[in-house]
Coordinates of all heavy atoms in Angstrom, one line a residue:
M1 N 81.1 -52.8 38.9 CA 81.6 -54.1 38.7 C 81.9 -54.4 37.2 O 82.9 -54.9 36.8 CB 80.6 -55.1 39.2 CG 80.9 -56.5 39.0 SD 82.3 -57.0 40.1 CE 82.4 -58.7 39.8
F2 N 80.9 -54.0 36.3 CA 81.1 -54.2 34.9 C 82.4 -53.4 34.4 O 83.2 -53.9 33.6 CB 79.9 -53.7 34.1 CG 80.1 -53.8 32.6 CD1 80.1 -55.0 31.9 CD2 80.3 -52.6 31.8 CE1 80.3 -55.1 30.6 CE2 80.5 -52.7 30.5 CZ 80.5 -53.9 29.9
T3 N 82.6 -52.2 34.9 CA 83.7 -51.4 34.5 C 85.0 -52.1 34.9 O 86.0 -52.2 34.2 CB 83.7 -50.0 35.2 OG1 82.4 -49.4 34.8 CG2 84.8 -49.1 34.7
F4 N 85.0 -52.7 36.1 CA 86.2 -53.4 36.6 C 86.5 -54.6 35.7 O 87.7 -54.8 35.4 CB 86.0 -53.9 38.1 CG 87.1 -54.7 38.6 CD1 88.3 -54.2 38.9 CD2 86.9 -56.1 38.7 CE1 89.4 -55.0 39.3 CE2 88.0 -56.9 39.1 CZ 89.2 -56.3 39.4
V5 N 85.5 -55.4 35.3 CA 85.7 -56.5 34.5 C 86.2 -56.1 33.1 O 87.2 -56.7 32.6 CB 84.4 -57.4 34.4 CG1 84.6 -58.5 33.3 CG2 84.1 -57.9 35.7
L6 N 85.6 -55.0 32.6 CA 86.1 -54.5 31.3 C 87.5 -54.1 31.3 O 88.3 -54.4 30.4 CB 85.2 -53.3 30.9 CG 85.5 -52.7 29.5 CD1 85.3 -53.8 28.4 CD2 84.6 -51.5 29.3
V7 N 87.9 -53.3 32.3 CA 89.3 -52.9 32.5 C 90.2 -54.1 32.6 O 91.3 -54.1 32.1 CB 89.4 -51.9 33.7 CG1 90.9 -51.6 34.0 CG2 88.7 -50.6 33.4
A8 N 89.8 -55.0 33.4 CA 90.7 -56.2 33.7 C 90.8 -57.0 32.4 O 92.0 -57.4 32.0 CB 90.0 -57.1 34.7
V9 N 89.8 -57.2 31.6 CA 89.9 -57.9 30.3 C 90.8 -57.2 29.4 O 91.6 -57.8 28.7 CB 88.5 -58.2 29.7 CG1 88.6 -58.7 28.3 CG2 87.7 -59.1 30.6
L10 N 90.6 -55.9 29.2 CA 91.4 -55.1 28.3 C 92.9 -55.1 28.8 O 93.8 -55.2 28.0 CB 90.9 -53.6 28.2 CG 89.6 -53.4 27.4 CD1 89.2 -52.0 27.6 CD2 89.8 -53.8 26.0
G11 N 93.1 -55.0 30.1 CA 94.5 -55.0 30.6 C 95.1 -56.3 30.3 O 96.3 -56.4 29.9
L12 N 94.4 -57.4 30.5 CA 95.0 -58.8 30.2 C 95.2 -58.9 28.7 O 96.2 -59.6 28.3 CB 94.1 -59.9 30.7 CG 94.1 -60.0 32.2 CD1 93.0 -61.1 32.6 CD2 95.4 -60.4 32.7
T13 N 94.4 -58.4 27.9 CA 94.5 -58.5 26.4 C 95.9 -57.8 26.0 O 96.6 -58.3 25.2 CB 93.4 -57.8 25.7 OG1 92.2 -58.4 26.1 CG2 93.5 -57.9 24.2
F14 N 96.1 -56.6 26.5 CA 97.4 -55.9 26.2 C 98.6 -56.5 26.9 O 99.7 -56.5 26.3 CB 97.2 -54.4 26.5 CG 96.3 -53.7 25.6 CD1 95.1 -53.2 26.0 CD2 96.6 -53.6 24.2 CE1 94.2 -52.6 25.2 CE2 95.7 -53.0 23.4 CZ 94.5 -52.4 23.9
A15 N 98.4 -57.1 28.0 CA 99.5 -57.6 28.8 C 100.1 -58.9 28.1 O 101.2 -59.2 28.1 CB 99.1 -58.0 30.2
F16 N 99.2 -59.6 27.4 CA 99.7 -60.8 26.7 C 99.8 -60.7 25.2 O 99.8 -61.7 24.5 CB 98.7 -62.0 27.1 CG 98.8 -62.4 28.5 CD1 97.8 -62.0 29.4 CD2 99.9 -63.0 29.0 CE1 97.9 -62.3 30.7 CE2 100.0 -63.4 30.3 CZ 99.0 -63.0 31.2
K17 N 99.9 -59.5 24.8 CA 100.1 -59.2 23.3 C 101.5 -59.7 23.0 O 102.5 -59.4 23.7 CB 100.0 -57.7 23.1 CG 100.0 -57.4 21.6 CD 99.8 -55.9 21.4 CE 99.8 -55.5 20.0 NZ 99.6 -54.1 19.8
P18 N 101.6 -60.5 21.9 CA 103.0 -61.1 21.6 C 104.0 -60.0 21.2 O 103.6 -59.0 20.6 CB 102.7 -61.9 20.3 CG 101.3 -61.6 19.9 CD 100.6 -60.9 21.0
A19 N 105.2 -60.2 21.7 CA 106.2 -59.2 21.4 C 106.6 -59.2 20.0 O 106.6 -60.2 19.3 CB 107.5 -59.5 22.3
K20 N 107.0 -58.0 19.5 CA 107.4 -58.0 18.1 C 108.8 -58.6 18.0 O 109.6 -58.4 18.9 CB 107.5 -56.5 17.6 CG 106.2 -55.8 17.5 CD 106.4 -54.4 17.0 CE 105.0 -53.7 16.9 NZ 105.1 -52.4 16.4
P21 N 109.1 -59.3 16.9 CA 110.4 -60.0 16.8 C 111.5 -58.9 16.6 O 111.2 -57.8 16.0 CB 110.3 -60.8 15.5 CG 109.1 -60.3 14.8 CD 108.2 -59.6 15.8
A22 N 112.6 -59.2 17.1 CA 113.7 -58.2 17.0 C 114.2 -58.1 15.6 O 114.1 -59.1 14.8 CB 114.9 -58.7 17.8
V23 N 114.5 -56.9 15.1 CA 115.0 -56.7 13.8 C 116.4 -57.3 13.7 O 117.3 -56.9 14.4 CB 114.9 -55.2 13.4 CG1 115.5 -55.0 12.0 CG2 113.5 -54.7 13.5
E24 N 116.5 -58.2 12.7 CA 117.9 -58.8 12.5 C 118.6 -58.0 11.5 O 118.1 -57.8 10.4 CB 117.7 -60.3 12.1 CG 117.2 -61.2 13.2 CD 117.1 -62.6 12.7 OE1 118.0 -63.0 11.9 OE2 116.2 -63.3 13.2
K25 N 119.9 -57.7 11.8 CA 120.7 -57.0 10.8 C 121.2 -58.1 9.9 O 121.7 -59.1 10.3 CB 121.9 -56.3 11.6 CG 122.7 -55.5 10.6 CD 123.8 -54.8 11.4 CE 124.7 -54.1 10.4 NZ 125.9 -53.5 11.0
K26 N 121.1 -57.8 8.6 CA 121.6 -58.7 7.6 C 123.1 -58.8 7.7 O 123.8 -57.8 7.8 CB 121.2 -58.2 6.2 CG 121.6 -59.1 5.1 CD 121.2 -58.6 3.7 CE 121.7 -59.5 2.7 NZ 121.5 -59.0 1.3
V27 N 123.6 -60.0 7.7 CA 125.1 -60.3 7.8 C 125.7 -60.1 6.4 O 125.2 -60.6 5.4 CB 125.3 -61.7 8.3 CG1 126.8 -62.0 8.3 CG2 124.8 -61.9 9.7
Q28 N 126.7 -59.3 6.3 CA 127.3 -59.0 5.0 C 128.3 -60.2 4.7 O 129.0 -60.7 5.6 CB 128.2 -57.7 5.1 CG 127.3 -56.5 5.1 CD 128.2 -55.3 5.2 OE1 129.4 -55.3 5.5 NE2 127.6 -54.1 4.8
P29 N 128.3 -60.6 3.4 CA 129.3 -61.6 3.0 C 130.7 -61.1 3.0 O 131.0 -59.9 2.8 CB 128.8 -62.0 1.6 CG 128.2 -60.7 1.1 CD 127.6 -60.1 2.3
S30 N 131.6 -62.0 3.3 CA 133.1 -61.6 3.2 C 133.5 -61.9 1.7 O 133.3 -63.0 1.2 CB 133.9 -62.5 4.2 OG 133.6 -62.1 5.5
L31 N 134.1 -60.9 1.1 CA 134.4 -61.0 -0.3 C 135.8 -60.6 -0.7 O 136.5 -60.0 0.1 CB 133.5 -60.0 -1.0 CG 132.0 -60.2 -0.8 CD1 131.2 -59.0 -1.3 CD2 131.5 -61.5 -1.4
Y32 N 136.2 -61.1 -1.9 CA 137.5 -60.6 -2.5 C 137.1 -59.3 -3.3 O 136.2 -59.4 -4.1 CB 138.1 -61.6 -3.4 CG 138.6 -62.9 -2.6 CD1 137.8 -64.0 -2.5 CD2 139.8 -62.9 -2.0 CE1 138.2 -65.1 -1.8 CE2 140.3 -64.0 -1.3 CZ 139.4 -65.1 -1.2 OH 139.9 -66.2 -0.5
W33 N 137.8 -58.2 -3.1 CA 137.4 -57.0 -3.7 C 138.4 -56.6 -4.9 O 139.6 -56.9 -4.7 CB 137.4 -55.9 -2.7 CG 136.3 -56.1 -1.7 CD1 136.4 -56.7 -0.5 CD2 135.0 -55.6 -1.9 NE1 135.1 -56.7 0.1 CE2 134.2 -56.1 -0.7 CE3 134.3 -54.9 -2.9 CZ2 132.9 -55.8 -0.6 CZ3 132.9 -54.7 -2.7 CH2 132.2 -55.1 -1.6
Y34 N 137.9 -56.1 -5.9 CA 138.7 -55.7 -7.1 C 138.4 -54.3 -7.6 O 137.2 -53.8 -7.6 CB 138.3 -56.7 -8.3 CG 138.7 -58.1 -8.0 CD1 137.9 -59.0 -7.3 CD2 139.9 -58.6 -8.5 CE1 138.2 -60.3 -7.0 CE2 140.3 -59.9 -8.2 CZ 139.4 -60.7 -7.5 OH 139.8 -62.0 -7.2
S35 N 139.4 -53.6 -8.1 CA 139.2 -52.4 -8.7 C 138.8 -52.7 -10.2 O 139.0 -53.8 -10.7 CB 140.5 -51.5 -8.8 OG 141.6 -52.2 -9.4
I36 N 138.2 -51.7 -10.8 CA 137.6 -51.9 -12.1 C 138.3 -50.9 -13.1 O 138.5 -49.7 -12.8 CB 136.1 -51.6 -12.1 CG1 135.4 -52.5 -11.1 CG2 135.5 -51.7 -13.4 CD1 134.0 -52.1 -10.7
S37 N 138.6 -51.4 -14.3 CA 139.3 -50.6 -15.3 C 138.2 -49.7 -16.0 O 137.0 -50.0 -15.9 CB 139.9 -51.5 -16.3 OG 138.9 -52.1 -17.2
P38 N 138.7 -48.7 -16.8 CA 137.7 -47.9 -17.5 C 136.9 -48.7 -18.5 O 135.8 -48.3 -19.0 CB 138.7 -46.9 -18.3 CG 139.9 -46.9 -17.4 CD 140.1 -48.2 -16.9
T39 N 137.4 -49.9 -18.9 CA 136.6 -50.7 -19.8 C 135.7 -51.8 -19.1 O 135.2 -52.7 -19.7 CB 137.5 -51.5 -20.8 OG1 138.4 -52.3 -20.1 CG2 138.3 -50.5 -21.7
N40 N 135.5 -51.6 -17.8 CA 134.6 -52.4 -17.0 C 135.1 -53.8 -16.9 O 134.3 -54.8 -16.9 CB 133.2 -52.3 -17.4 CG 132.6 -51.0 -17.1 OD1 132.9 -50.4 -16.1 ND2 131.6 -50.6 -17.9
T41 N 136.4 -54.0 -16.7 CA 137.0 -55.3 -16.4 C 137.7 -55.3 -15.1 O 138.0 -54.2 -14.6 CB 138.0 -55.8 -17.5 OG1 139.1 -54.8 -17.6 CG2 137.3 -55.9 -18.9
L42 N 137.9 -56.4 -14.5 CA 138.6 -56.5 -13.2 C 140.1 -56.1 -13.4 O 140.8 -56.7 -14.2 CB 138.6 -57.9 -12.6 CG 137.1 -58.4 -12.3 CD1 137.2 -59.8 -11.8 CD2 136.4 -57.5 -11.4
Q43 N 140.5 -55.1 -12.7 CA 141.9 -54.5 -12.9 C 142.9 -55.1 -11.9 O 144.0 -55.4 -12.3 CB 141.8 -53.0 -12.8 CG 143.0 -52.3 -13.2 CD 142.8 -50.8 -13.3 OE1 141.7 -50.3 -13.0 NE2 143.8 -50.1 -13.7
A44 N 142.5 -55.1 -10.6 CA 143.5 -55.5 -9.6 C 142.7 -56.1 -8.4 O 141.7 -55.5 -8.0 CB 144.4 -54.4 -9.2
Q45 N 143.3 -57.1 -7.8 CA 142.7 -57.6 -6.6 C 143.2 -56.8 -5.4 O 144.4 -56.5 -5.3 CB 143.1 -59.1 -6.4 CG 142.4 -59.7 -5.2 CD 142.6 -61.2 -5.1 OE1 142.9 -61.9 -6.1 NE2 142.6 -61.8 -3.9
L46 N 142.3 -56.3 -4.5 CA 142.7 -55.4 -3.5 C 142.9 -56.0 -2.1 O 143.5 -55.4 -1.2 CB 141.6 -54.3 -3.3 CG 141.3 -53.6 -4.6 CD1 140.1 -52.6 -4.4 CD2 142.5 -52.8 -5.1
N47 N 142.5 -57.3 -1.9 CA 142.7 -58.0 -0.6 C 143.0 -59.4 -0.9 O 142.6 -60.0 -1.9 CB 141.5 -57.8 0.3 CG 140.2 -58.3 -0.3 OD1 139.9 -58.1 -1.5 ND2 139.4 -58.9 0.5
T48 N 143.8 -60.0 0.0 CA 144.2 -61.4 -0.1 C 143.3 -62.4 0.7 O 143.3 -63.6 0.5 CB 145.6 -61.6 0.2 OG1 145.9 -61.1 1.6 CG2 146.5 -60.9 -0.8
S49 N 142.6 -61.8 1.7 CA 141.6 -62.7 2.4 C 140.3 -61.9 2.4 O 140.2 -60.7 2.5 CB 142.1 -62.9 3.8 OG 142.4 -61.8 4.5
P50 N 139.2 -62.7 2.3 CA 137.8 -62.0 2.2 C 137.5 -61.1 3.4 O 137.9 -61.4 4.5 CB 136.9 -63.2 2.2 CG 137.7 -64.4 1.9 CD 139.1 -64.1 2.4
Q51 N 136.8 -60.0 3.1 CA 136.3 -59.1 4.1 C 135.0 -58.5 3.6 O 134.7 -58.5 2.4 CB 137.3 -58.1 4.4 CG 137.7 -57.1 3.2 CD 138.9 -56.2 3.6 OE1 139.9 -56.7 4.0 NE2 138.7 -54.9 3.4
T52 N 134.2 -57.9 4.6 CA 132.9 -57.4 4.3 C 133.0 -56.0 3.6 O 134.1 -55.4 3.6 CB 132.1 -57.2 5.6 OG1 132.7 -56.2 6.4 CG2 131.9 -58.5 6.3
K53 N 131.9 -55.6 3.1 CA 131.8 -54.3 2.5 C 132.1 -53.2 3.5 O 132.9 -52.3 3.3 CB 130.4 -54.0 2.0 CG 130.1 -52.7 1.4 CD 128.7 -52.6 0.7 CE 128.5 -51.2 0.2 NZ 127.2 -51.2 -0.6
D54 N 131.5 -53.3 4.8 CA 131.8 -52.3 5.8 C 133.2 -52.2 6.1 O 133.8 -51.1 6.3 CB 131.0 -52.6 7.1 CG 129.5 -52.2 6.9 OD1 129.1 -51.5 5.9 OD2 128.7 -52.6 7.8
D55 N 133.9 -53.3 6.2 CA 135.4 -53.3 6.5 C 136.2 -52.7 5.4 O 137.2 -52.1 5.6 CB 135.9 -54.7 6.8 CG 135.4 -55.2 8.2 OD1 134.9 -54.4 9.0 OD2 135.5 -56.5 8.4
S56 N 135.7 -52.8 4.2 CA 136.4 -52.4 3.0 C 136.2 -50.9 2.7 O 137.1 -50.3 2.0 CB 136.0 -53.2 1.8 OG 136.2 -54.6 2.0
M57 N 135.2 -50.3 3.2 CA 134.9 -48.9 2.9 C 135.8 -48.0 3.7 O 136.5 -48.4 4.6 CB 133.4 -48.6 3.2 CG 132.5 -49.2 2.2 SD 130.8 -48.8 2.4 CE 130.8 -47.0 2.1
E58 N 135.8 -46.7 3.2 CA 136.6 -45.7 3.9 C 136.2 -45.7 5.4 O 135.1 -45.8 5.8 CB 136.3 -44.3 3.3 CG 137.1 -43.2 3.9 CD 136.8 -41.9 3.2 OE1 135.6 -41.6 3.0 OE2 137.7 -41.2 2.8
N59 N 137.2 -45.7 6.3 CA 137.1 -45.7 7.7 C 136.7 -47.1 8.2 O 136.3 -47.3 9.4 CB 136.1 -44.7 8.2 CG 136.5 -43.3 7.9 OD1 137.7 -42.9 8.0 ND2 135.6 -42.4 7.5
G60 N 136.7 -48.1 7.3 CA 136.4 -49.5 7.8 C 137.6 -50.1 8.5 O 138.7 -49.5 8.5
A61 N 137.5 -51.3 9.0 CA 138.5 -52.0 9.7 C 139.8 -52.2 8.8 O 140.9 -52.2 9.3 CB 138.0 -53.3 10.2
N62 N 139.6 -52.4 7.5 CA 140.7 -52.6 6.6 C 140.3 -51.9 5.3 O 140.0 -52.6 4.3 CB 140.9 -54.1 6.3 CG 142.2 -54.3 5.5 OD1 143.1 -53.6 5.6 ND2 142.2 -55.4 4.7
S63 N 140.2 -50.6 5.3 CA 139.8 -49.8 4.2 C 140.5 -50.1 2.9 O 141.8 -50.2 2.9 CB 139.9 -48.3 4.5 OG 139.5 -47.5 3.4
L64 N 139.8 -50.3 1.8 CA 140.4 -50.6 0.5 C 140.1 -49.5 -0.5 O 140.7 -49.5 -1.6 CB 139.8 -51.9 -0.1 CG 140.0 -53.2 0.8 CD1 139.2 -54.3 0.1 CD2 141.5 -53.5 0.9
T65 N 139.3 -48.5 -0.2 CA 138.9 -47.5 -1.1 C 138.5 -46.2 -0.3 O 138.1 -46.3 0.9 CB 137.7 -47.9 -2.0 OG1 137.4 -46.9 -2.9 CG2 136.5 -48.3 -1.2
N66 N 138.5 -45.1 -1.0 CA 137.9 -43.9 -0.4 C 136.6 -43.5 -1.0 O 136.0 -42.5 -0.8 CB 138.9 -42.7 -0.5 CG 139.2 -42.4 -2.0 OD1 138.8 -43.0 -2.9 ND2 140.1 -41.4 -2.2
C67 N 136.0 -44.4 -1.9 CA 134.7 -44.2 -2.4 C 133.7 -44.3 -1.3 O 133.8 -45.2 -0.4 CB 134.4 -45.3 -3.5 SG 135.5 -45.1 -5.0
K68 N 132.7 -43.5 -1.4 CA 131.7 -43.4 -0.3 C 130.4 -44.1 -0.6 O 129.4 -43.9 0.2 CB 131.5 -41.9 0.0 CG 132.7 -41.3 0.6 CD 132.4 -39.9 1.1 CE 133.6 -39.0 1.5 NZ 134.7 -39.6 2.0
D69 N 130.2 -44.8 -1.7 CA 129.0 -45.6 -2.0 C 127.8 -44.7 -2.2 O 126.8 -44.9 -1.6 CB 128.8 -46.6 -0.9 CG 128.0 -47.8 -1.4 OD1 128.2 -48.2 -2.6 OD2 127.2 -48.4 -0.6
E70 N 128.0 -43.7 -3.0 CA 126.9 -42.6 -3.2 C 126.3 -42.6 -4.6 O 125.3 -41.9 -4.7 CB 127.5 -41.3 -2.8 CG 127.9 -41.2 -1.4 CD 128.7 -39.9 -1.1 OE1 129.3 -39.3 -2.0 OE2 128.6 -39.5 0.1
T71 N 126.9 -43.1 -5.6 CA 126.4 -42.9 -6.9 C 126.1 -44.3 -7.5 O 126.5 -45.3 -7.0 CB 127.5 -42.2 -7.8 OG1 128.6 -43.2 -8.0 CG2 128.0 -41.0 -7.2
P72 N 125.4 -44.4 -8.7 CA 125.2 -45.7 -9.3 C 126.4 -46.4 -9.9 O 126.4 -47.6 -10.0 CB 124.2 -45.3 -10.4 CG 123.7 -43.9 -10.1 CD 124.7 -43.3 -9.3
K73 N 127.4 -45.6 -10.2 CA 128.6 -46.2 -10.9 C 129.5 -47.0 -9.8 O 129.9 -46.4 -8.8 CB 129.4 -45.2 -11.6 CG 130.6 -45.7 -12.4 CD 131.1 -44.7 -13.3 CE 132.4 -45.1 -14.0 NZ 132.4 -46.3 -14.8
V74 N 129.8 -48.2 -10.1 CA 130.6 -49.1 -9.3 C 132.1 -48.6 -9.2 O 132.7 -48.5 -10.3 CB 130.5 -50.6 -9.7 CG1 131.3 -51.4 -8.8 CG2 129.0 -51.0 -9.6
C75 N 132.6 -48.5 -8.0 CA 134.0 -48.1 -7.8 C 134.8 -49.4 -7.7 O 135.8 -49.6 -8.3 CB 134.1 -47.3 -6.6 SG 135.7 -46.8 -6.1
I76 N 134.5 -50.3 -6.7 CA 135.1 -51.6 -6.6 C 134.0 -52.6 -6.4 O 132.9 -52.3 -6.0 CB 136.1 -51.6 -5.4 CG1 135.4 -51.5 -4.0 CG2 137.2 -50.6 -5.6 CD1 136.4 -51.7 -2.9
I77 N 134.3 -53.9 -6.8 CA 133.4 -54.9 -6.8 C 133.9 -56.1 -6.0 O 135.1 -56.4 -6.0 CB 133.0 -55.3 -8.3 CG1 131.9 -56.3 -8.3 CG2 134.2 -55.9 -9.0 CD1 131.3 -56.5 -9.7
G78 N 133.0 -56.8 -5.3 CA 133.4 -58.0 -4.5 C 132.8 -59.3 -5.0 O 131.7 -59.3 -5.6
Y79 N 133.6 -60.3 -4.9 CA 133.2 -61.7 -5.3 C 133.4 -62.7 -4.2 O 134.3 -62.5 -3.3 CB 134.0 -62.1 -6.5 CG 133.7 -61.4 -7.8 CD1 134.4 -60.2 -8.1 CD2 132.7 -61.9 -8.7 CE1 134.1 -59.5 -9.3 CE2 132.5 -61.2 -9.8 CZ 133.1 -60.0 -10.1 OH 132.8 -59.4 -11.3
D80 N 132.6 -63.7 -4.1 CA 132.8 -64.8 -3.1 C 134.1 -65.6 -3.3 O 134.5 -66.1 -2.3 CB 131.6 -65.8 -3.2 CG 130.3 -65.1 -2.9 OD1 130.2 -64.3 -2.0 OD2 129.3 -65.4 -3.6
S81 N 134.6 -65.6 -4.5 CA 135.9 -66.4 -4.7 C 136.8 -65.5 -5.5 O 136.4 -64.5 -6.1 CB 135.6 -67.7 -5.4 OG 135.0 -67.4 -6.7
E82 N 138.1 -65.9 -5.6 CA 139.0 -65.1 -6.4 C 138.7 -65.2 -7.9 O 138.2 -66.2 -8.3 CB 140.4 -65.6 -6.1 CG 140.8 -65.3 -4.6 CD 142.3 -65.7 -4.3 OE1 143.2 -64.9 -4.6 OE2 142.4 -66.8 -3.8
Q83 N 138.9 -64.1 -8.6 CA 138.6 -64.0 -10.0 C 139.8 -63.8 -10.9 O 140.9 -63.5 -10.4 CB 137.6 -62.8 -10.2 CG 136.3 -62.9 -9.4 CD 135.4 -64.0 -9.8 OE1 135.0 -64.1 -11.0 NE2 135.1 -64.9 -8.9
T84 N 139.6 -64.0 -12.2 CA 140.7 -63.8 -13.1 C 140.7 -62.3 -13.5 O 139.6 -61.8 -13.9 CB 140.5 -64.7 -14.4 OG1 140.4 -66.0 -13.9 CG2 141.6 -64.5 -15.4
L85 N 141.8 -61.6 -13.4 CA 141.9 -60.2 -13.8 C 141.6 -60.1 -15.3 O 142.0 -61.0 -16.1 CB 143.3 -59.7 -13.5 CG 143.7 -59.7 -12.1 CD1 145.1 -59.1 -11.9 CD2 142.7 -58.9 -11.2
G86 N 141.0 -59.0 -15.7 CA 140.6 -58.8 -17.1 C 139.2 -59.3 -17.4 O 138.7 -59.0 -18.5
T87 N 138.6 -60.0 -16.5 CA 137.2 -60.5 -16.7 C 136.3 -59.3 -16.7 O 136.4 -58.4 -15.8 CB 136.8 -61.5 -15.6 OG1 137.8 -62.6 -15.6 CG2 135.4 -62.1 -15.8
S88 N 135.3 -59.3 -17.5 CA 134.2 -58.3 -17.5 C 133.4 -58.4 -16.3 O 133.1 -59.4 -15.8 CB 133.3 -58.4 -18.8 OG 134.1 -58.1 -19.9
I89 N 133.0 -57.2 -15.7 CA 132.1 -57.2 -14.6 C 130.6 -57.3 -15.1 O 130.3 -57.0 -16.2 CB 132.3 -55.9 -13.7 CG1 131.8 -54.7 -14.5 CG2 133.7 -55.8 -13.2 CD1 131.6 -53.5 -13.6
P90 N 129.8 -57.9 -14.2 CA 128.4 -58.1 -14.7 C 127.7 -56.7 -14.8 O 128.1 -55.7 -14.2 CB 127.7 -58.9 -13.5 CG 128.7 -58.8 -12.4 CD 130.0 -58.5 -12.9
S91 N 126.6 -56.6 -15.6 CA 125.9 -55.4 -15.8 C 125.1 -55.0 -14.5 O 124.8 -53.8 -14.3 CB 125.0 -55.4 -17.0 OG 124.1 -56.5 -16.8
S92 N 124.7 -55.9 -13.7 CA 124.0 -55.7 -12.5 C 124.7 -56.3 -11.3 O 125.1 -57.5 -11.4 CB 122.6 -56.3 -12.6 OG 121.9 -56.1 -11.4
V93 N 125.0 -55.5 -10.3 CA 125.8 -55.9 -9.2 C 125.0 -55.7 -7.9 O 124.4 -54.6 -7.7 CB 127.1 -55.2 -9.1 CG1 128.0 -55.6 -7.9 CG2 127.9 -55.3 -10.4
A94 N 124.9 -56.7 -7.0 CA 124.2 -56.6 -5.8 C 124.9 -55.5 -4.9 O 126.1 -55.3 -4.9 CB 124.2 -57.9 -5.0
N95 N 124.1 -54.8 -4.1 CA 124.6 -53.7 -3.3 C 125.7 -54.2 -2.3 O 126.6 -53.5 -2.1 CB 123.4 -53.1 -2.5 CG 123.9 -51.8 -1.8 OD1 124.5 -51.0 -2.4 ND2 123.5 -51.7 -0.5
D96 N 125.5 -55.4 -1.7 CA 126.5 -55.8 -0.8 C 127.7 -56.4 -1.4 O 128.7 -56.8 -0.8 CB 125.9 -56.8 0.2 CG 125.3 -58.1 -0.4 OD1 125.3 -58.2 -1.7 OD2 124.9 -59.0 0.3
H97 N 127.8 -56.4 -2.8 CA 128.9 -56.9 -3.5 C 129.6 -55.7 -4.3 O 130.4 -56.0 -5.2 CB 128.5 -58.0 -4.5 CG 128.3 -59.3 -3.9 ND1 127.3 -59.6 -3.0 CD2 129.0 -60.4 -4.0 CE1 127.4 -60.8 -2.6 NE2 128.5 -61.4 -3.2
S98 N 129.3 -54.5 -3.9 CA 129.8 -53.4 -4.6 C 130.0 -52.2 -3.7 O 129.2 -52.0 -2.8 CB 129.0 -53.0 -5.8 OG 127.7 -52.5 -5.4
I99 N 131.0 -51.3 -4.0 CA 131.1 -50.0 -3.3 C 131.1 -49.0 -4.5 O 131.9 -49.2 -5.4 CB 132.3 -49.9 -2.5 CG1 132.3 -50.9 -1.3 CG2 132.5 -48.5 -1.9 CD1 133.5 -51.0 -0.5
R100 N 130.3 -48.1 -4.4 CA 130.1 -47.1 -5.6 C 130.8 -45.8 -5.3 O 131.2 -45.5 -4.2 CB 128.6 -46.9 -5.8 CG 127.9 -48.2 -6.2 CD 126.4 -48.2 -6.1 NE 125.9 -49.6 -6.2 CZ 125.8 -50.3 -7.4 NH1 126.1 -49.7 -8.5 NH2 125.3 -51.5 -7.4
F101 N 131.0 -45.1 -6.4 CA 131.8 -43.9 -6.3 C 131.2 -42.8 -5.4 O 130.0 -42.9 -5.2 CB 132.0 -43.2 -7.7 CG 133.1 -43.9 -8.5 CD1 132.8 -44.9 -9.5 CD2 134.4 -43.6 -8.3 CE1 133.8 -45.5 -10.2 CE2 135.4 -44.2 -9.0 CZ 135.1 -45.1 -10.0
S102 N 132.0 -41.9 -5.0 CA 131.5 -40.7 -4.2 C 130.9 -39.7 -5.1 O 131.2 -39.7 -6.3 CB 132.7 -40.1 -3.4 OG 133.3 -41.1 -2.6
R103 N 130.1 -38.8 -4.6 CA 129.5 -37.7 -5.4 C 130.6 -36.6 -5.6 O 131.4 -36.4 -4.9 CB 128.3 -37.1 -4.7 CG 127.2 -38.1 -4.8 CD 126.0 -37.6 -4.1 NE 125.2 -38.7 -3.8 CZ 123.9 -38.8 -4.0 NH1 123.3 -37.8 -4.5 NH2 123.3 -39.9 -3.7

């Protein structure tokens, strides 16, 4: 009898264990993307309507670059709003606002 109660209590304990929350995928911002000059200024706007990093990468829905996002050096940079060409890029850029060069 004791064994039955113990098994029942343990079974109920595990049966009512709260479910783990589903892992939410971070939503990427839609951005205006720019190529960068050798002097680290904005060289050219690459899209006229905002799009995500995934869409902008090679094989994306609207690919803007063949850079594969593999090195520390930024290949193209994205902004929430349109920018003035010739503006210097920031020294630190968020990962979802940049696509980096291929190896």
Side-chain angles (χ1 to χ4, degrees):
M1 176 71 171
F2 175 74
T3 305
F4 173 75
V5 172
L6 181 62
V7 169
V9 169
L10 287 174
L12 288 174
T13 301
F14 290 113
F16 293 104
K17 187 175 181 181
K20 293 182 180 178
V23 176
E24 292 183 32
K25 184 177 177 185
K26 184 178 175 188
V27 177
Q28 292 181 337
S30 291
L31 305 169
Y32 293 96
W33 293 92
Y34 293 84
S35 61
I36 301 169
S37 74
T39 58
N40 288 329
T41 60
L42 300 179
Q43 187 169 5
Q45 185 172 334
L46 303 175
N47 56 322
T48 55
S49 54
Q51 63 186 54
T52 66
K53 177 177 180 173
D54 284 348
D55 286 345
S56 303
M57 289 187 64
E58 184 177 46
N59 300 320
N62 187 30
S63 179
L64 301 174
T65 182
N66 61 358
C67 293
K68 296 187 185 331
D69 206 34
E70 299 172 330
T71 69
K73 185 168 172 59
V74 177
C75 176
I76 65 174
I77 188 168
Y79 290 90
D80 295 319
S81 60
E82 294 184 86
Q83 302 293 303
T84 303
L85 298 182
T87 303
S88 295
I89 67 166
S91 58
S92 177
V93 182
N95 187 48
D96 60 357
H97 282 67
S98 64
I99 298 175
R100 297 166 191 280
F101 281 100
S102 306
R103 291 178 198 230

